[in-house]
Structures are given as structure tokens and as C-alpha cells.
Amino acid sequence: MQWCNRVNTGLFIASPAMYTELNSILNTSPESFTKGDFILLSDKQSDASFLIHHFLSFYLRAKCKVCFLAMVQSFSHYSTVSQRLGVSLAQAKEKGQLVFLEGLQESLSILIPQDEHTGSQAMNFLRDPKLGLQDLYEFVSSKVKRSCGGEAESEEWGPPVLLVDDLSVLLTLGVTVGAVLDFSHYCQATICSKLQGNMVMLVRCDQEEDEGDNESPACLLKGLTHQSSLTLDVQGLPTGYCRDIHGQVEVCWQRRQGDGQNTQNKLFQYKVHDKGASFFARGTSSAVL
Amino acid sequence: MAAPMERVIKQQTERSTFKTTSFQKKTRSKLLSIPGTRPSVQNGQLLVSSGVTSLDFLLGGGLAVGTVLLIEEDRYDSYSRVILKYFLAEGVVCRHRLFVAAAQENPDDILQELPAPILDDVAIPKPVEQPRLPCESQESLDSMKIAWRYQNLPKVQTALVSSSRFGHYYDVSKTMEPEIRQAAKSHCFYLPDHPQKTSNTHSQFLGPYSALLKSLQEVIRQEGFEVAASMSNSQNPNVLRIGLHSLGSALWGDDLCCSDSPEHRHSLVTFLYGLRALLRSSLAVAVITLPSHLIQDRALMGNITRLSDYSIALESFKGSERETNPLYRDYHGLLHVRQVPHLNCLASQLPDHKDLAFKLKRKQFSIEGSMSVQGRTSAVWLCPSP
């Protein structure tokens, strides 16, 4: 896979900075990946956002139409990191390959009432969380379906992909677990089943949570795990903090692959560095060996 | 012998250029050069000093512009208040603008209690004519006998020069003089002055914090702190330092700290979300103190932490049994670093955050890690106290 010198598209910068080990673990590559997948990322007391950056650059390289709901960070943050991974978000946005919803920016016009309503309707759940996420779903489906309309220039992009970073902030802002599960179900029905695209969603949990709490991220995680086809669960090391090994990732395939592939759960340790992350089997970190 | 000397001189000049922030990372985007800020070594982000040099080191060089530092207060709100005052004092010395909000007391009172900077390179404006004692003759005052080379240099500097150094030291036993403090413009938000409007339905969700968020947005817009405005503006860009005292306490109208299942469960979190949205698009840094020991719900505390960028917790030994523990004899409390963000990068190198203890000395707020704590215990055993 040589991703260098694509001067004609100008989209890719000459660097093979990818999470090659993760691609081999998941048996995927930007040229060939399973369609209709719902990939669930979760973390507990650690930070799984490096995986979101990976999937963002992965699907952009795969020439899919990507819809990214960025709820917690600004566009420049993702843009800077993607630059290091070799993908330019600004150019993707210009070409229409990337639809970027910057939740932070859109929320201000709702949180601080202005005389003129300039914000998009997607963040309407901030007006009253009991409304649920219907407006957000309408936004996603309108952006995603447009790619499969009759427009000529959109046919060069592959299947649609939805990325959400992250779902737990919706819970903290007052949306109920039921509403979030409805949203993900609707999105899965539209994107994964109907349009044969993929979905990647991130849920962040806290370790100290009551078991009986019905509105906790852990509860949401259980519901989403049931819906998903692949989960990547990121946790800190059980033995505590380590400088060379940032944590462990457990990869679980929920649905059996068509040809009866091995769907055993796999556990890896990882280390995040400047231009990617390296994954290795437990105990085989280069710092240890 | 000339070669090693050259290397030493070169190293010194390199170090001094780093300190005076003339280092410019070559990027395509314009790098704003604002006094009192420096680009981060790791990812080129613009950093400001928090006022406490040891805290700057722990947080990776300083507070990134556009972020929020959450300080979980110690039980009597003594040390968290000190850090907030350090932060504001640093803003005064660097000629940044200040925005202080409080519900418990008038923000002007907080501003009057700022610690005095220890000045090497920050000049205090003194009156031009100094009163002289009649017994001293004119000659002996005028002529310098030892430092006669400096005879002809001007004795007083009447203008306050903004310091180009990053991070200053303060003397907590003295308060900052009014002349220095008034050199920096400040905005105050005192909650009783802003009664809650019940007419507007949008602000109901934010509850008691809607007026604060609106006021912040107005200040940022009108004073030109938005990044887009600063880049195109011909005037000198500046940083706004926001200090929010004791958010979440009952005096703000919030019942987070009062009950197990608060009615305004989402107000503070939504406010933090709106604050993050405001800050990410402006040249501003916020420091919030929060009485977390009053919040019963740990999950809620986790949400609040996740919506801030930097988060530290202070635990003072005052009144606890640790005060008399010989292990902690030299310290005033423990400092826990709960969260440090990875902004604009995948990973960052940070110093070890385990077992930190702090001590408020007169001229320094020092934070030390586990190694020095262990070192001191061995010293206790080796040199028994009389």
C-alpha cells in the first residue's frame, strides 16, 4: 500500500502513517473492508480518541463519504492530528467528501439566545433534552442520503460512513439513554442496512458508577454493544500507569463473519505516539523485551 | 580552548532566546506573538503561565490558550483561592485582560488581594522625587562608590514595562500595589448584580449560569478576543484570563452541592460545554474553582472533569490527622492531577503525576513529587530532630 505522491488529488500527503498493526488485527485495509459494520469504541478511565482519529483517516483514505459529528473538540484539533496521519480534513471538506458537524460551535447560538437564529437544527436537543435526538438524526440522514442521490459528482465517493465523537457527552447534557439508543438504531438502519455504509461511535465511561443507575454510560454501552458488530474496548492497564504501555484494547467481534472466521476476543496492549499507535500482544512491548 | 567556549556561548544564547520567546516555529499559519505567552515545545500550541511555575511544568509547559483549568477546592478553599489569585496576578504582570466572576464576594475584593510580584525585570512606577533625609548630603546619594559604572543609568522607570518572561514569582505576604494592578484592565461579574431573567426560555436550561455565559460572550466579542478577529486585526492581540470562583456552590443558585439528586443536574455541565465552545474560538484561558468535596455524585464529578481540559484537585492537610504525620511534615497538602488534555496531538510527554504534594512558601508555591517525599523521610530518620 503506497500512499505517496498522489499529486493529482492533492488529498494525501506522502506518509504511510497509519495504524498498520490495527488494520492487520481487524483484517481490514482502506481498499477492502466489510460494509454495513457498526464499530463501537469504548473506554474506561483512559482515552480512546486515538481510535477515532484512526478511523477518520482510514475511511477518508478509502474514499468513502464521511459524516463526522464532533461533539467535544474543535475542527482544528482533528485537522491537526489528521495532518500528522497524512490526511487533510480541510481539503476533504472542500471536495465534499467530509461533512463535519462542529457541535461546540453550533451549540453557542442555542445556549446563548441570539436575535437571529443562525445555528443548524442538529443541536436542538440542547433546547430541551426531552426532545431527543430526532433533529440530529435528520441532519445525519440528509447529509448521508445526498451522496446516494442522482448527483454526478458524488458518485466518486464510496459508501457513507458516520463517525461520532462522542456519545457520552450527549448523556451528560441531559439526553436519556433511551433517546441515544433510538438514535443509534435509526442511524444503523439507514446507514448500515440500507446504504451498506459503516458507523463508528465512541462511548466514554467512568469506573466509579452505581450499578443501579439507569442513565449511566455503562447502561448505554450495554445497549450499544448489543447493536454493534465489532467493539474495541480501551482500558488502562490493570497494574496501573505505565509510561511505555498506555493501556490495553480488547477487540470483540459480535457477529460471526459470513465464512465462519475466527471470532475469538483478542486482547492487545498499545502505545500511542506522535504519528500513530502501535499494538502488540501482551507482554511483548519493545520496552519490556 | 576557543571551541568549547563558543559552544557554551551558543547554548546560552539559545537558552536565552527560548526564554524571551523569540523562537518562532515555522508553520504556514501566522503565529501570534503576545507578551506572556510562548509556543509549546511539543505541538506549537500557544501557552500561558498559570502563575505557579511548578504547576506549569506539570501541565506540560503552561495552560494552552483556549482551554479550561478546573481546580477542585480543598476543604476551606484556601489553596485553591491562592492559585486563582496567582493566575490573575500573572495576568496583571503580563498585561493580559482579566475577567473575574464570583458569587460569594465582590470580585473587586479578590482583585485587591492579589500577591505582589517579585520584581527583577518588572519595574514599579515610583514617584519621581524621592524624599531625602536632611542629614544626608546630596553628594553621597548621587555618586555611587562601588557600582560607579551604573551611575549614569536612569534611576526610575515611570512606565510599567510588560515583562517578556514566562512565569513569575509572587510574594504572598504582600499585596500587589494598586498602580500595578490598575495597569491591567479587568471585568467583574458579581452574581447579585445580574438577577436571573425568567422570560427567556432558552436560558432555562443553563439555569443560574446563563447570565455568566452571556456576559462572557459579550466581553469576548466586544474586546476582540475571538481568534478570527484577532488574526485580521491590526491591533496587538491579547489574551483574556477568566477566573470563576467557586462554581457549583449554592451561592450560584445551583443545588449540585446541596442534594443527592439535584434539580439542576445538567446546568453546570451545559455551562462548561458552552464555555468550551466559547474558548475554543477565542484567545482566552479560564480557571474555575469548584467545591467538589460537596458534590456527592461521583459520576457527576466525572462528567464535570471530562468537560474541562485540565483538572487538578487539592487536598490540604489542615484539620486532618495528616497534619501531624511526620511524612507530610514539610507539606501543606496533596495535589492530584486528574486530567490533562491531548489537544492537536495524539500523545504528549508529560512528567510523572504520581504522589504530588504542595507547599505554599512565602515566595513560591512549590509542588513536589514522590521522590522528594521519600527523600525527606530518609532525612528524617538520619537526622532526628532535637
Side-chain angles (χ1 to χ4, degrees):
Chain A
M1 275 176 289
Q2 293 300 318
W3 291 104
C4 47
N5 296 331
R6 287 223 174 183
V7 184
N8 47 355
T9 58
L11 192 58
F12 302 115
I13 302 163
S15 97
M18 280 210 295
Y19 298 18
T20 43
E21 285 138 351
L22 183 60
N23 284 343
S24 65
I25 291 170
L26 299 177
N27 277 328
T28 56
S29 74
E31 288 106 5
S32 74
F33 54 90
T34 39
K35 314 251 186 318
D37 257 356
F38 174 11
I39 302 173
L40 180 67
L41 309 173
S42 64
D43 68 28
K44 195 179 265 192
Q45 299 271 315
S46 56
D47 194 0
S49 49
F50 69 97
L51 289 173
I52 283 276
H53 294 298
H54 158 71
F55 282 111
L56 178 61
S57 56
F58 178 90
Y59 286 114
L60 282 175
R61 271 183 227 267
K63 308 201 96 185
C64 294
K65 172 117 189 221
V66 177
C67 178
F68 191 7
L69 305 181
M71 297 287 167
V72 285
Q73 297 291 359
S74 60
F75 176 75
S76 55
H77 166 72
Y78 296 104
S79 176
T80 315
V81 179
S82 298
Q83 201 90 10
R84 291 191 200 205
L85 295 179
V87 172
S88 165
L89 289 194
Q91 285 183 358
K93 211 164 143 185
E94 256 175 74
K95 290 179 196 300
Q97 188 189 9
L98 173 66
V99 173
F100 196 95
L101 174 71
E102 193 172 339
L104 286 173
Q105 218 177 342
E106 303 290 334
S107 68
L108 269 183
S109 57
I110 297 177
L111 289 177
I112 307 174
Q114 318 280 341
D115 291 326
E116 67 282 348
H117 294 277
T118 48
S120 95
Q121 298 296 310
M123 300 292 286
N124 268 353
F125 63 88
L126 282 172
R127 289 184 208 276
D128 185 5
K130 294 183 190 49
L131 288 177
L133 295 172
Q134 189 164 357
D135 288 317
L136 190 61
Y137 166 70
E138 299 289 340
F139 172 84
V140 169
S141 68
S142 69
K143 298 295 176 188
V144 152
K145 274 183 183 151
R146 208 182 292 166
S147 70
C148 299
E151 295 165 20
E153 76 264 13
S154 63
E155 281 171 16
E156 58 183 289
W157 306 124
V161 176
L162 172 69
L163 286 155
V164 183
D165 178 17
D166 60 71
L167 285 180
S168 17
V169 78
L170 299 175
L171 290 182
T172 63
L173 292 172
V175 184
T176 57
V177 170
V180 180
L181 285 173
D182 286 342
F183 168 75
S184 72
H185 179 73
Y186 268 73
C187 287
Q188 191 180 16
T190 310
I191 297 173
C192 299
S193 311
K194 228 194 311 188
L195 300 171
Q196 286 297 300
N198 285 5
M199 260 186 9
V200 181
M201 294 193 173
L202 171 61
V203 179
R204 308 196 63 193
C205 304
D206 270 333
Q207 206 144 42
E208 317 148 9
E209 262 167 31
D210 301 323
E211 287 301 312
D213 191 3
N214 283 334
E215 293 295 327
S216 65
C219 210
L220 174 66
L221 185 62
K222 280 188 212 164
L224 287 175
T225 312
H226 178 74
Q227 292 177 3
S228 65
S229 40
L230 170 67
T231 62
L232 287 127
D233 188 27
V234 178
Q235 290 188 22
L237 289 177
T239 43
Y241 170 76
C242 170
R243 196 176 280 250
D244 297 303
I245 305 171
H246 291 156
Q248 62 184 32
V249 181
E250 188 172 353
V251 184
C252 310
W253 280 270
Q254 304 294 324
R255 312 253 162 82
R256 190 166 270 277
Q257 304 292 331
D259 51 354
Q261 258 179 34
N262 188 6
T263 52
Q264 202 180 28
N265 291 358
K266 289 188 190 165
L267 189 68
F268 293 94
Q269 291 176 342
Y270 71 91
K271 178 179 175 167
V272 183
H273 33 259
D274 202 34
K275 289 205 170 176
S278 53
F279 293 77
F280 34 86
R282 263 189 299 185
T284 59
S285 159
S286 54
V288 167
L289 290 177
Chain B
M1 288 305 286
M5 278 300 290
E6 271 174 16
R7 233 182 294 136
V8 166
I9 292 170
K10 194 181 170 207
Q11 276 172 11
Q12 280 175 354
T13 48
E14 274 171 0
R15 238 179 280 135
S16 64
T17 49
F18 182 72
K19 274 197 181 139
T20 54
T21 69
S22 62
F23 166 69
Q24 295 267 337
K25 190 176 171 205
K26 282 187 189 151
T27 51
R28 262 182 247 152
S29 58
K30 271 192 295 178
L31 199 67
L32 295 169
S33 63
I34 308 169
T37 66
R38 70 172 174 196
S40 158
V41 184
Q42 289 168 20
N43 50 15
Q45 240 176 330
L46 204 60
L47 300 178
V48 296
S49 170
S50 61
V52 181
T53 342
S54 37
L55 185 63
D56 284 343
F57 171 69
L58 280 179
L59 299 180
L63 294 175
V65 171
T67 58
V68 176
L69 165 64
L70 178 77
I71 303 177
E72 295 183 30
E73 291 174 7
D74 52 308
R75 191 167 299 198
Y76 304 105
D77 188 22
S78 35
Y79 299 105
S80 45
R81 205 184 159 86
V82 163
I83 298 186
L84 183 65
K85 285 194 275 185
Y86 271 123
F87 176 70
L88 296 171
E90 182 73 27
V92 172
V93 170
C94 298
R95 310 293 287 288
H96 296 160
R97 301 272 173 79
L98 304 179
F99 182 104
V100 190
Q104 190 174 356
E105 61 194 321
N106 204 318
D108 279 327
D109 295 341
I110 300 180
L111 283 175
Q112 273 164 21
E113 292 171 9
L114 296 184
I118 298 174
L119 313 152
D120 298 329
D121 47 7
V122 179
I124 314 174
K126 282 192 186 135
V128 178
E129 291 187 84
Q130 297 183 7
R132 288 178 187 164
L133 298 171
C135 55
E136 283 178 305
S137 71
Q138 192 86 359
E139 264 184 48
S140 61
L141 276 177
D142 281 351
S143 65
M144 296 184 184
K145 294 219 171 64
I146 297 173
W148 52 273
R149 283 234 182 255
Y150 299 99
Q151 176 94 27
N152 298 324
L153 288 178
K155 256 192 242 181
V156 295
Q157 285 175 289
T158 48
L160 177 62
V161 177
S162 76
S163 174
S164 55
R165 222 175 73 187
F166 186 87
H168 298 83
Y169 292 97
Y170 299 88
D171 187 341
V172 279
S173 59
K174 302 185 198 149
T175 49
M176 193 184 269
E177 291 180 24
E179 295 102 30
I180 309 180
R181 194 180 60 247
Q182 274 148 27
K185 200 170 157 197
S186 60
H187 303 267
C188 290
F189 181 97
Y190 184 37
L191 186 67
D193 293 339
H194 300 254
Q196 197 177 343
K197 295 180 211 153
T198 47
S199 55
N200 208 332
T201 47
H202 293 168
S203 59
Q204 261 176 17
F205 196 49
L206 275 174
Y209 303 107
S210 51
L212 178 58
L213 194 63
K214 195 170 172 75
S215 171
L216 271 171
Q217 191 189 40
E218 272 168 20
V219 169
I220 288 178
R221 276 213 185 133
Q222 282 161 13
E223 305 276 329
F225 286 111
E226 285 176 332
V227 176
S230 301
M231 292 290 228
S232 55
N233 215 350
S234 54
Q235 284 176 8
N236 296 329
N238 206 346
V239 170
L240 177 69
R241 286 184 182 235
I242 303 170
L244 306 176
H245 180 249
S246 243
L247 278 191
S249 73
L251 289 165
W252 279 95
D254 202 353
D255 57 353
L256 273 185
C257 299
C258 307
S259 62
D260 278 339
S261 48
E263 198 186 299
H264 291 138
R265 207 189 147 86
H266 301 291
S267 304
L268 181 58
V269 198
T270 315
F271 169 76
L272 288 176
Y273 190 74
L275 182 65
R276 180 188 271 204
L278 265 181
L279 292 185
R280 287 290 194 265
S281 55
S282 29
L283 291 174
V285 187
V287 168
I288 302 177
T289 67
L290 183 87
S292 65
H293 51 95
L294 296 175
I295 297 179
Q296 308 297 329
D297 193 349
R298 300 319 300 170
L300 183 58
M301 206 49 235
N303 291 342
I304 293 172
T305 307
R306 231 178 289 134
L307 275 179
S308 351
D309 300 298
Y310 301 89
S311 175
I312 62 173
L314 296 173
E315 187 188 329
S316 83
F317 296 148
K318 247 192 250 178
S320 77
E321 65 270 8
R322 283 183 182 157
E323 208 170 1
T324 46
N325 189 334
L327 191 70
Y328 297 125
R329 200 175 55 179
D330 297 319
Y331 298 98
H332 286 139
L334 297 178
L335 186 136
H336 309 279
V337 177
R338 299 257 194 251
Q339 183 178 267
V340 180
H342 299 304
L343 287 175
N344 296 345
C345 62
L346 274 173
S348 50
Q349 286 300 323
L350 288 168
D352 216 359
H353 286 156
K354 286 190 294 189
D355 301 330
L356 297 167
F358 66 85
K359 182 178 176 70
L360 176 64
K361 298 185 242 186
R362 186 164 77 93
K363 294 195 176 177
Q364 192 189 4
F365 187 99
S366 66
I367 303 170
E368 288 166 25
S370 53
M371 293 312 288
S372 11
V373 172
Q374 282 170 14
R376 280 178 202 264
T377 35
S378 58
V380 166
W381 294 122
L382 287 173
C383 325
S385 53

